[in-house]
Amino acid sequence: MSNSKLHILNWEESIDLKAGKYFKPTSVEELMEIVKNKENPSPVRASGSRHSTTKCGVADEGTFVDMRNFNKVKKITEDTVTIEGGCLLIDAAKILEEKGKQFFVNVEIGNITIGSAATCGTKDASFDGEFGQLGSYLIEAKLINAKGEIEIFDENHPKMQSLRSSYGLFGIVYEATFRIKNIQCLRVFHKTYTLEQFVEIHPELLKAKESIMYYLFPFQDKITIEFRSYSDKKPNKSVSKRKWKMRNLFWKKIAPAYGYFVTKYIPFPNLQTFLYNSFNSLLRFLLCNVIVSNCTIAPDQMIRYPEKKGVSKYTFSIWAFPEKIFPEILRDYFDFCKKHYKETGYKTDLLNVGYRIAKDQNPLFSYSYEETVMTADPVSTGEKGWDEFLKAYNEFCIQRKGIPMFNQSKWLNRDLVHKAFGLKIKDFWKLRKEMDPEERFLNNYFRELFSPDL
Amino acid sequence: MLLGIGTDLVNTQQIAKYKSQSDFFIDEIFTNDEIKYCESMAFPETHYAGRFAAKEAFFKALGTGIGYGMKFTDVEVIQDDLGKPLIKLHRKAKILAEKKNAATIHLSISHSKTSAIAFVVIQKPNLEANV
């Protein structure tokens, strides 16, 4: 099925994906033909749920391939699952759960498709001895390469590390196999610290076995940490489903709607600040006193967002920093937010978050390639002032040796990318050229970011 | 009427480093004629650096930076009979320049042993002259 010149927007409706031709194939053969047929203009860009906040999926009037018909879980073994590229992670996770299995990484945006999970950046707080990116558990991928042929990458493939960071530039992944594990009870609790207390306990946090995700409150100098750890217990009837449901409802609906309402309809800055702060205090209370359980399960953390954003709309950015210097970064970040507000009148209207993510060299462009990182992720409803805030934030981050993500750090440019990734850009570009010499999959976004910078 | 100005400074050693690290770098940035010209010189890196600076300066003068589907090879540095450097546009860069109503492109390049600098001025058609 194909249509001409469709205006397809990303989920948050901030980016036109510029589809020259649109296809929603139902078979591998059809997919091969789409790539092979030169009447379908380049670049050919595969798309899933369109949750990326950057232009990584823009088709530049080329061929837009909607992968959502590839939505089946094909095979589950003791420690692997094979899934089609357009299947939502949350759908696959639910099927795994029925079989007593789970993914190693269970990201909040459950709408991420498997092709994206295999080849793009993702984030979740790492558990002891584990990684924080889904792609790191990819062990096999089947893709349609630039010649329109099937190519299989397994763990021993010399380009596997790059494939995990290839963002569709090597081809269209239509099937992927990930490592999985038996489902385990997940213990969760929250604690709130002042900035000074956080600085004090930071050395202990570095030794902690728990996974660490956190909510940041720059204007109240506070941080609420979510500690999660697995227990050996198998989940039984006592498993608490309500805890994550409650948290997810806040993330999915209540917090974005509240943030949007306050930003849009309350014209008085002081009253706005009061309302944000009161809401944040309530959230901290709920997190610390209600979202507590000895037995939840990780797949329940995933949120299924509606196809149309509606009141669920929120957007975010991410940069990662070495965990050793994170207290310093956090202090600077809080100051940066306050200074930016003073100068421009803009502050992010949702809870900022962050994750501790283990050193991980499985994907080439891993933001924790060199060492374990902690991230600082501004979150907002994306109202006026957000983009300017992010541009300033990007400069803040690059000056502090931050590492971004191509699909989740908005307003990246060539200078930032070359400073952050250095020689890896050249290594990747060389492989990309080998895989796709005629630039069948290369869009302007990546061409610009990866162009040489001297 | 001025459309834009752009300037860029390039370290010659950076070019040498890039060249030694990746064999595809030169093909990616320079046209065959540019490569032929630079390689015929005693110090090719100096001339590559000047041409790279010219391309970057052009993108700046156009007000776009690299992007919009343009490649470095879409902007070629050539010489007139007296050796004066000129910019010749191809493909996307040509289309974009026409869209922006660019009429004349002025280029000046200078280099030392360690660096090269380029300056580009783009003019729109002089409408007053036509009145």
Side-chain angles (χ1 to χ4, degrees):
Chain A
M1 186 176 70
S2 109
N3 279 307
S4 287
K5 305 243 174 196
L6 282 177
H7 283 289
I8 300 168
L9 301 175
N10 68 337
W11 183 80
E12 59 170 70
E13 297 183 356
S14 63
I15 295 168
D16 183 351
L17 299 172
K18 294 186 183 168
K21 265 190 170 181
Y22 171 89
F23 289 94
K24 195 171 180 180
T26 52
S27 69
V28 176
E29 291 71 28
E30 213 182 318
L31 197 52
M32 290 163 79
E33 182 52 32
I34 291 166
V35 176
K36 216 178 271 179
N37 185 351
K38 293 288 161 68
E39 282 179 19
N40 298 327
S42 297
V44 181
R45 299 297 293 163
S47 166
S49 299
R50 310 182 313 277
H51 273 264
S52 296
T53 59
T54 73
K55 294 183 177 175
C56 64
V58 172
D60 300 322
E61 312 281 332
T63 303
F64 184 93
V65 184
D66 187 334
M67 290 294 287
R68 285 177 295 177
N69 282 332
F70 288 78
N71 55 10
K72 292 177 191 61
V73 174
K74 294 190 82 174
K75 192 177 169 193
I76 300 171
T77 71
E78 185 55 31
D79 55 3
T80 67
V81 61
T82 301
I83 317 165
E84 289 185 335
C87 181
L88 302 190
L89 188 77
I90 193 166
D91 290 338
K94 294 291 169 206
I95 292 171
L96 287 177
E97 187 186 329
E98 286 166 15
K99 308 268 181 201
K101 302 286 177 190
Q102 68 166 83
F103 287 105
F104 279 86
V105 178
N106 295 273
V107 297
E108 277 154 18
I109 300 179
N111 302 56
I112 183 175
T113 48
I114 291 303
S116 175
T119 62
C120 305
T122 59
K123 59 174 193 276
D124 190 28
S126 316
F127 289 89
D128 191 30
E130 296 183 3
F131 302 118
Q133 299 177 70
L134 271 155
S136 301
Y137 293 95
L138 175 74
I139 55 171
E140 188 180 277
K142 291 182 182 168
L143 57 83
I144 306 301
N145 66 19
K147 291 180 196 152
E149 295 165 352
I150 292 173
E151 190 162 341
I152 300 173
F153 281 62
D154 64 16
E155 273 189 299
N156 301 318
H157 195 292
K159 291 179 187 147
M160 187 58 153
Q161 188 196 37
S162 296
L163 178 79
R164 291 185 178 117
S165 285
S166 60
Y167 292 86
L169 298 175
F170 284 9
I172 300 177
V173 171
Y174 66 89
E175 192 179 298
T177 302
F178 293 87
R179 278 211 175 82
I180 53 171
K181 62 179 184 176
N182 289 331
I183 204 158
Q184 287 173 280
C185 260
L186 180 69
R187 183 170 173 252
V188 59
F189 67 98
H190 295 80
K191 263 188 178 174
T192 295
Y193 302 92
T194 63
L195 181 59
E196 294 315 316
Q197 286 169 336
F198 174 77
V199 172
E200 217 168 281
I201 62 146
H202 182 256
E204 286 169 44
L205 288 179
L206 299 190
K207 294 180 217 151
K209 297 278 184 199
E210 289 101 343
S211 90
I212 291 171
M213 181 263 175
Y214 36 87
Y215 299 90
L216 303 172
F217 304 91
F219 291 88
Q220 294 164 304
D221 285 331
K222 284 188 176 144
I223 173 168
T224 298
I225 300 183
E226 180 178 287
F227 294 95
R228 297 176 307 170
S229 55
Y230 286 120
S231 77
D232 293 333
K233 259 194 344 192
K234 236 183 156 185
N236 52 28
K237 279 179 189 164
S238 68
V239 74
S240 172
K241 291 269 179 192
R242 275 179 305 143
K243 306 288 176 178
W244 290 118
K245 267 189 188 159
M246 221 181 306
R247 189 216 49 170
N248 293 351
L249 180 70
F250 259 88
W251 257 133
K252 191 170 156 180
K253 291 221 165 106
I254 298 171
Y258 185 85
Y260 177 78
F261 175 81
V262 172
T263 308
K264 189 106 179 166
Y265 297 109
I266 306 292
F268 313 109
N270 287 342
L271 181 57
Q272 266 190 359
T273 302
F274 171 77
L275 290 171
Y276 289 140
N277 289 349
S278 308
F279 189 70
N280 288 342
S281 301
L282 172 69
L283 279 179
R284 283 196 297 272
F285 176 82
L286 289 174
L287 287 168
C288 294
N289 296 287
V290 180
I291 315 293
V292 183
S293 173
N294 278 326
C295 191
T296 70
I297 52 169
D300 283 346
Q301 299 166 133
M302 287 187 199
I303 301 174
R304 186 192 297 276
Y305 287 93
E307 185 137 333
K308 293 251 175 219
K309 64 181 171 70
V311 291
S312 303
K313 185 193 170 182
Y314 77 94
T315 183
F316 54 88
S317 194
I318 175 176
W319 282 76
F321 305 91
E323 67 167 353
K324 284 179 219 132
I325 58 164
F326 194 66
E328 202 181 300
I329 299 288
L330 195 61
R331 197 190 295 274
D332 286 355
Y333 177 62
F334 284 8
D335 289 345
F336 165 80
C337 291
K338 287 170 197 152
K339 192 167 166 252
H340 189 84
Y341 178 60
K342 210 173 161 188
E343 286 170 2
T344 67
Y346 179 81
K347 64 164 86 167
T348 56
D349 52 4
L350 286 176
L351 291 177
N352 292 197
V353 298
Y355 305 82
R356 180 175 184 235
I357 301 161
K359 180 176 175 175
D360 182 1
Q361 300 192 333
N362 289 298
L364 182 70
F365 291 121
S366 164
Y367 43 77
S368 58
Y369 197 92
E370 303 293 341
E371 56 198 308
T372 298
V373 297
M374 293 178 86
T375 72
D377 311 357
V379 187
S380 135
T381 57
E383 294 303 306
K384 197 167 170 261
W386 169 242
D387 286 333
E388 285 64 36
F389 174 86
L390 286 187
K391 286 174 192 169
Y393 181 57
N394 286 351
E395 285 306 317
F396 168 92
C397 294
I398 204 68
Q399 284 164 18
R400 287 160 182 80
K401 301 202 181 310
I403 305 287
M405 277 165 80
F406 294 120
N407 56 341
Q408 294 184 23
S409 309
K410 209 174 171 185
W411 297 113
L412 291 181
N413 58 38
R414 185 170 51 137
D415 182 43
L416 294 168
V417 164
H418 280 262
K419 278 179 183 155
F421 293 105
L423 289 176
K424 283 199 206 111
I425 299 281
K426 274 187 273 179
D427 295 341
F428 179 80
W429 197 250
K430 192 177 175 185
L431 296 182
R432 189 211 63 76
K433 235 184 148 169
E434 283 169 20
M435 286 293 296
D436 181 17
E438 289 177 19
E439 302 183 348
R440 193 70 175 128
F441 303 115
L442 180 63
N443 65 0
N444 290 340
Y445 176 72
F446 284 107
R447 187 197 304 285
E448 178 179 349
L449 294 187
F450 290 173
S451 287
D453 191 22
L454 297 177
Chain B
M1 200 175 160
L2 196 65
L3 176 66
I5 60 166
T7 183
D8 197 60
L9 180 67
V10 172
N11 184 328
T12 313
Q13 282 171 339
Q14 281 284 91
I15 291 273
K17 202 172 137 196
Y18 251 88
K19 243 184 110 181
S20 65
Q21 279 164 351
S22 57
D23 42 6
F24 64 94
F25 166 72
I26 294 295
D27 296 339
E28 193 76 17
I29 303 290
F30 303 101
T31 65
N32 288 340
D33 286 346
E34 286 175 320
I35 296 170
K36 219 181 277 173
Y37 174 83
C38 294
E39 291 298 334
S40 71
M41 297 291 159
F43 301 102
E45 279 76 16
T46 312
H47 296 274
Y48 280 127
R51 270 150 185 74
F52 187 87
K55 289 165 194 253
E56 289 275 25
F58 169 79
F59 293 131
K60 289 177 187 173
L62 198 61
T64 57
I66 180 87
Y68 296 88
M70 290 187 289
K71 297 178 185 179
F72 279 98
T73 48
D74 290 355
V75 180
E76 184 179 20
V77 178
I78 57 171
Q79 298 81 38
D80 70 7
D81 295 343
L82 298 172
K84 180 190 169 195
L86 303 168
I87 281 180
K88 188 178 174 187
L89 301 178
H90 307 279
R91 297 171 291 268
K92 284 269 165 88
K94 194 174 178 185
I95 295 166
L96 203 59
E98 280 169 6
K99 246 188 198 170
K100 290 198 159 236
N101 214 6
T104 316
I105 304 167
H106 303 279
L107 167 66
S108 176
I109 304 175
S110 181
H111 17 71
S112 70
K113 265 185 191 169
T114 55
S115 54
I117 189 168
F119 187 67
V120 168
V121 175
I122 306 179
Q123 281 183 297
K124 285 184 177 182
N126 195 344
L127 297 176
E128 282 173 18
N130 295 332
V131 174

